[in-house]
Amino acid sequence: MTVKYNLDSVKVERAAREWLVERGVQTEQIAKLVLDAQKEYYPALTADECTAAVNRVLSKREVQNAILLGIQIDRFAEKGQLDSPLQELIENDEKLFGCDEVLALSIVNVYGSIGFTNYGYLDKLKPGILAKLNDRTDNECHTFLDDLVGAVAASACSYIAHRQQAKAEQERSGLPGAGETVGASLTGADGAPAD
Amino acid sequence: MTVKYNLDSVKVERAAREWLVERGVQTEQIAKLVLDAQKEYYPALTADECTAAVNRVLSKREVQNAILLGIQIDRFAEKGQLDSPLQELIENDEKLFGCDEVLALSIVNVYGSIGFTNYGYLDKLKPGILAKLNDRTDNECHTFLDDLVGAVAASACSYIAHRQQAKAEQERSGLPGAGETVGASLTGADGAPAD
Amino acid sequence: MTVKYNLDSVKVERAAREWLVERGVQTEQIAKLVLDAQKEYYPALTADECTAAVNRVLSKREVQNAILLGIQIDRFAEKGQLDSPLQELIENDEKLFGCDEVLALSIVNVYGSIGFTNYGYLDKLKPGILAKLNDRTDNECHTFLDDLVGAVAASACSYIAHRQQAKAEQERSGLPGAGETVGASLTGADGAPAD
Amino acid sequence: MTVKYNLDSVKVERAAREWLVERGVQTEQIAKLVLDAQKEYYPALTADECTAAVNRVLSKREVQNAILLGIQIDRFAEKGQLDSPLQELIENDEKLFGCDEVLALSIVNVYGSIGFTNYGYLDKLKPGILAKLNDRTDNECHTFLDDLVGAVAASACSYIAHRQQAKAEQERSGLPGAGETVGASLTGADGAPAD
């Protein structure tokens, strides 16, 4: 007798978060990328706000799906278990293989097109945790993960840009409350594409 | 003296909604597309739930931006005010001109990749309001609008799929409350990519 | 001593084509989807022209990459070798898992946005070979493959639309030669996004 | 009596190229962005090869469509002819308005996902002609154009990466001929997604 399949969303989210940690990526390290990218625009931005933004992005199913799939492929590549020539393409992070960028863009898209630029910039410069993921001195393979982490950071930057706008509009309008609270109101101030 | 520019999100959302109506598209007509597309999967789905889903999609800034831009271009095309050869391309809804689909996809992306299929299907079959927008017997031009409306409907379908999943998981887990309320909780049940 | 890695494009293309056949998909079956979708627009279109269009699409590296990755994942899923909960998501072709559509869109994009509609339509109706891939009576898993095949067919439809336009313009202009030949000329008639 | 509409591809390509020049962008300036971005990877790359790559990208219809539409919108914005609030959004290059990035990505996609990173990087750093387009001291508006030019440059970078790979593989295999010639052969070496 087969057990009927039922999607368990809690399990999926938990797995996505755990797999990130197992592969060496802490939420705080992604938040650091966000803070460094955004502090020139929002000097008062805190590390906690960035962590909250990253957590928000990680709560989206589309993001979780991409993380699970990308890490799974990296794991197989690391163990040499992919079939040739895919194994060589991924193991060597072949420049002309772009499926990792494709998956990453599906994360960025959830928070709208304004994240494209931040994604590309992070992916080119590889600051912080991204540099560590690209350091190929050990036998780890993070062909997909580095792009996914960059995409999560870029999406969190987009989220923050939307939140900061909502806050600024509230302050101008003299409305009470701030941030999250008003974001969920019906004032229309919450124009964030994905929240 | 120039007035400093400040983004007014309420004004942007209001304009997007008003421009839709001015161009002949009611929220309920989009909701009808959603209901017809989804009722085979969720027989208990109501017109009100579909209208709420469409309103949710229309509250996203990325969606509003695309609607404003697309309708603006249609207006210019209708008056013959675009420069040649762009005027002819858009006025005739040239098959090899795909910028309308590009803008539409930016709407679909906000609710994740599961909406691609519904978008393509609606865009091919042109049911309901989409047929009316494509009826070229008057002098109206809706080259962009029909794709945008199809994309809003497809995104609302995706939203509903995520909400229905959240509801089903709640019922299985025996948790109190339903729908919107639990969606905002920390149970992880709200995996919708864009809510 | 490790052997220096060098991308071997011939090997990659050959693998993509062989893997398709191994998974039960013949080029002619994809061409059939194309012919059925396009014959209402181009009554003189032949099966051979459709096969040539599919071969053209399959010659693109971006397409080959997506095919190799998607089939690899299907293989692992079929053997139950993915980690939970990814295994369940893919094995059951979970409706809220959209990474297969994401990869498919990366194929469609190569021939431009005009292919979105055809992709969605094929993915909804599942004609021909797509129905067979979705027939889950055996123990095969084609969660990614059916979307990839639909995307290759949709791209071939776009290619044909561009070629037919080039031919029509030649005939109007009274230029000698046709099809492929003029497509490569400098007359500007070859506006196809990806050829 | 109305004249039947017929797409004239030569006219479309010519217009896209002329509109770029009218808005202050020379092919050579885009080629310069490409050379600066790629010379670290291919030290022997010449300015002429980069110009040829840019011309190749500009020959694609999807690219031409996006250029025509984007420049048209910039023109209207410059003259203050868009309706409010779209006029303010575009005139001020509003950070949360991403339709310009959406159109730009449709250009990048034609040459595959490997161009995303280069696009984002160029869009962030704004070197060369991009800086000039963003210099808002005159009354020009280039909200769309700067993103489009960055996208054309990023696509040309992708094209070059594919061409260089084809050349390297030929040299290893000891085959006669090089570059363009073999790219069009049936050896399978021409894996470029869009050529």
Side-chain angles (χ1 to χ4, degrees):
Chain A
M1 199 193 89
T2 58
V3 178
K4 190 177 170 302
Y5 161 76
N6 275 317
L7 172 61
D8 181 341
S9 297
V10 177
K11 197 174 165 190
V12 170
E13 176 164 0
R14 194 182 296 140
R17 291 176 177 277
E18 287 175 359
W19 291 21
L20 277 178
V21 173
E22 283 168 29
R23 300 294 293 177
V25 179
Q26 308 291 331
T27 306
E28 291 71 24
Q29 291 172 307
I30 312 181
K32 181 69 166 56
L33 296 174
V34 177
L35 185 62
D36 289 348
Q38 295 301 98
K39 68 187 170 194
E40 68 174 298
Y41 306 110
Y42 312 108
L45 190 68
T46 67
D48 281 357
E49 286 174 295
C50 293
T51 300
V54 171
N55 276 317
R56 184 81 188 176
V57 173
L58 293 177
S59 75
K60 304 296 175 195
R61 190 187 307 275
E62 187 91 358
V63 176
Q64 296 157 11
N65 289 340
I67 288 172
L68 291 176
L69 183 62
I71 288 179
Q72 177 77 77
I73 300 163
D74 280 348
R75 281 179 182 156
F76 282 124
E78 202 166 285
K79 294 182 199 154
Q81 293 175 343
L82 301 171
D83 297 313
S84 176
L86 188 64
Q87 174 67 34
E88 299 87 280
L89 290 173
I90 296 181
E91 181 185 318
N92 292 286
D93 206 354
E94 164 59 44
K95 193 181 172 175
L96 301 184
F97 180 84
C99 294
D100 39 351
E101 279 87 3
V102 167
L103 264 194
L105 251 280
S106 76
I107 289 179
V108 175
N109 275 331
V110 174
Y111 278 86
S113 50
I114 64 168
F116 295 160
T117 300
N118 275 322
Y119 168 71
Y121 188 69
L122 289 170
D123 196 43
K124 184 87 174 185
L125 292 195
K126 307 277 186 199
I129 178 68
L130 297 179
K132 185 166 158 285
L133 292 175
N134 272 279
D135 168 12
R136 301 174 61 88
T137 51
D138 50 22
N139 286 318
E140 292 173 359
C141 172
H142 299 300
T143 294
F144 278 78
L145 185 56
D146 68 331
D147 290 310
L148 296 172
V149 168
V152 170
S155 286
C157 290
S158 299
Y159 176 78
I160 284 170
H162 284 284
R163 294 309 312 149
Q164 294 287 330
Q165 174 65 26
K167 270 167 97 171
E169 293 194 36
Q170 278 176 255
E171 282 161 21
R172 278 206 302 279
S173 70
L175 287 178
E180 291 300 321
T181 319
V182 168
S185 80
L186 295 170
T187 64
D190 178 28
D195 269 281
Chain B
M1 200 195 89
T2 58
V3 178
K4 192 179 169 301
Y5 160 75
N6 273 318
L7 172 61
D8 182 341
S9 297
V10 177
K11 196 175 165 189
V12 170
E13 177 165 358
R14 194 181 297 141
R17 292 176 177 276
E18 288 175 357
W19 291 21
L20 276 178
V21 174
E22 285 169 26
R23 300 295 291 179
V25 180
Q26 308 291 332
T27 306
E28 290 71 24
Q29 292 171 307
I30 312 180
K32 182 69 165 56
L33 297 174
V34 177
L35 185 61
D36 289 347
Q38 296 300 99
K39 66 188 170 194
E40 68 175 299
Y41 306 109
Y42 313 109
L45 190 68
T46 67
D48 280 356
E49 286 174 295
C50 292
T51 301
V54 171
N55 275 318
R56 184 82 188 177
V57 173
L58 292 177
S59 75
K60 303 298 174 193
R61 189 189 306 276
E62 188 89 359
V63 177
Q64 296 157 12
N65 290 339
I67 288 172
L68 291 176
L69 184 62
I71 288 179
Q72 176 78 76
I73 300 164
D74 280 348
R75 282 179 181 158
F76 282 125
E78 202 166 285
K79 294 182 200 155
Q81 292 175 343
L82 300 172
D83 297 311
S84 175
L86 187 65
Q87 174 67 34
E88 299 88 280
L89 290 173
I90 296 180
E91 182 185 318
N92 293 286
D93 205 352
E94 163 59 45
K95 193 182 172 176
L96 300 184
F97 180 85
C99 294
D100 38 353
E101 279 88 3
V102 167
L103 265 194
L105 252 279
S106 76
I107 289 179
V108 176
N109 275 330
V110 174
Y111 278 85
S113 48
I114 63 168
F116 296 159
T117 299
N118 275 322
Y119 167 71
Y121 188 69
L122 289 170
D123 197 43
K124 186 87 174 182
L125 292 195
K126 307 275 187 202
I129 177 70
L130 297 180
K132 183 163 159 287
L133 292 175
N134 272 279
D135 167 14
R136 300 174 64 87
T137 51
D138 52 20
N139 285 317
E140 291 174 2
C141 172
H142 299 301
T143 294
F144 278 77
L145 186 56
D146 68 332
D147 291 310
L148 297 173
V149 168
V152 170
S155 287
C157 290
S158 300
Y159 176 79
I160 284 170
H162 284 285
R163 293 309 312 150
Q164 294 286 331
Q165 173 65 26
K167 270 167 99 171
E169 294 195 34
Q170 277 176 255
E171 282 159 21
R172 278 204 304 278
S173 70
L175 285 180
E180 291 298 322
T181 320
V182 168
S185 80
L186 296 171
T187 65
D190 178 28
D195 269 282
Chain C
M1 201 194 88
T2 58
V3 178
K4 193 179 169 301
Y5 160 75
N6 274 318
L7 172 60
D8 181 341
S9 296
V10 177
K11 196 174 165 190
V12 170
E13 177 164 359
R14 194 181 299 142
R17 292 177 177 275
E18 288 175 356
W19 291 21
L20 276 177
V21 174
E22 283 168 28
R23 300 296 291 178
V25 180
Q26 307 291 331
T27 307
E28 291 69 26
Q29 292 171 307
I30 312 181
K32 182 70 166 55
L33 297 174
V34 177
L35 185 62
D36 289 347
Q38 295 301 98
K39 67 189 170 194
E40 68 175 297
Y41 306 110
Y42 313 109
L45 190 67
T46 66
D48 281 355
E49 286 175 294
C50 293
T51 301
V54 171
N55 275 319
R56 183 82 186 176
V57 172
L58 292 177
S59 75
K60 304 296 174 193
R61 190 189 305 277
E62 190 90 357
V63 176
Q64 296 156 12
N65 289 339
I67 288 172
L68 291 176
L69 184 62
I71 288 180
Q72 177 77 78
I73 300 163
D74 280 348
R75 282 178 182 159
F76 282 125
E78 202 165 285
K79 295 181 200 156
Q81 292 175 342
L82 301 172
D83 297 311
S84 174
L86 187 65
Q87 174 67 35
E88 299 89 281
L89 290 173
I90 296 180
E91 182 185 317
N92 292 285
D93 206 354
E94 163 59 44
K95 193 181 172 175
L96 300 184
F97 180 84
C99 294
D100 38 353
E101 279 88 2
V102 166
L103 264 193
L105 252 281
S106 76
I107 289 179
V108 176
N109 275 331
V110 173
Y111 278 85
S113 49
I114 64 167
F116 295 159
T117 300
N118 275 323
Y119 168 70
Y121 189 68
L122 289 171
D123 197 43
K124 185 86 173 184
L125 293 195
K126 308 275 186 200
I129 178 69
L130 298 180
K132 183 164 159 285
L133 293 176
N134 271 281
D135 168 12
R136 300 173 63 85
T137 51
D138 52 22
N139 285 317
E140 291 174 1
C141 171
H142 299 300
T143 295
F144 278 78
L145 186 56
D146 69 332
D147 291 310
L148 296 172
V149 168
V152 170
S155 286
C157 290
S158 300
Y159 175 79
I160 284 170
H162 284 285
R163 293 308 313 150
Q164 294 287 331
Q165 174 65 26
K167 271 166 98 171
E169 294 195 33
Q170 277 176 257
E171 283 160 20
R172 277 205 303 278
S173 70
L175 286 179
E180 292 300 320
T181 320
V182 168
S185 80
L186 296 170
T187 65
D190 178 28
D195 270 282
Chain D
M1 200 194 89
T2 56
V3 178
K4 190 177 171 300
Y5 160 74
N6 274 318
L7 172 61
D8 181 340
S9 297
V10 177
K11 195 174 166 191
V12 169
E13 176 165 358
R14 195 181 297 141
R17 291 176 177 276
E18 287 175 358
W19 291 21
L20 276 178
V21 174
E22 282 168 29
R23 300 295 291 179
V25 179
Q26 308 291 331
T27 306
E28 291 71 24
Q29 291 172 308
I30 311 181
K32 182 69 165 57
L33 296 174
V34 177
L35 185 61
D36 288 348
Q38 296 301 97
K39 68 187 169 195
E40 68 174 297
Y41 306 109
Y42 313 108
L45 190 68
T46 66
D48 281 356
E49 286 174 295
C50 293
T51 300
V54 171
N55 276 318
R56 183 83 186 176
V57 173
L58 292 177
S59 76
K60 304 296 174 194
R61 190 188 307 277
E62 188 92 357
V63 176
Q64 296 157 11
N65 289 339
I67 288 172
L68 290 176
L69 183 61
I71 288 179
Q72 177 77 78
I73 300 163
D74 280 348
R75 282 179 181 157
F76 282 125
E78 202 166 285
K79 293 182 199 153
Q81 292 175 343
L82 301 171
D83 297 312
S84 175
L86 187 66
Q87 174 68 35
E88 299 88 282
L89 289 173
I90 295 180
E91 180 185 319
N92 292 285
D93 206 353
E94 164 58 44
K95 191 182 172 174
L96 300 184
F97 180 84
C99 295
D100 37 352
E101 278 88 3
V102 167
L103 265 194
L105 252 281
S106 76
I107 289 178
V108 176
N109 275 331
V110 174
Y111 278 87
S113 50
I114 64 168
F116 296 159
T117 300
N118 275 323
Y119 168 71
Y121 189 69
L122 289 170
D123 197 44
K124 184 87 173 183
L125 292 195
K126 307 275 186 200
I129 178 69
L130 297 180
K132 183 165 160 286
L133 292 175
N134 272 279
D135 167 12
R136 300 174 62 87
T137 51
D138 50 22
N139 285 318
E140 292 173 1
C141 172
H142 298 300
T143 294
F144 278 77
L145 185 55
D146 68 332
D147 291 310
L148 297 172
V149 168
V152 170
S155 286
C157 290
S158 299
Y159 175 79
I160 284 170
H162 283 284
R163 294 308 314 149
Q164 294 287 329
Q165 174 65 27
K167 270 167 100 171
E169 293 194 35
Q170 279 176 255
E171 282 162 21
R172 277 204 303 278
S173 70
L175 286 179
E180 291 301 322
T181 320
V182 168
S185 80
L186 295 171
T187 64
D190 178 29
D195 268 280

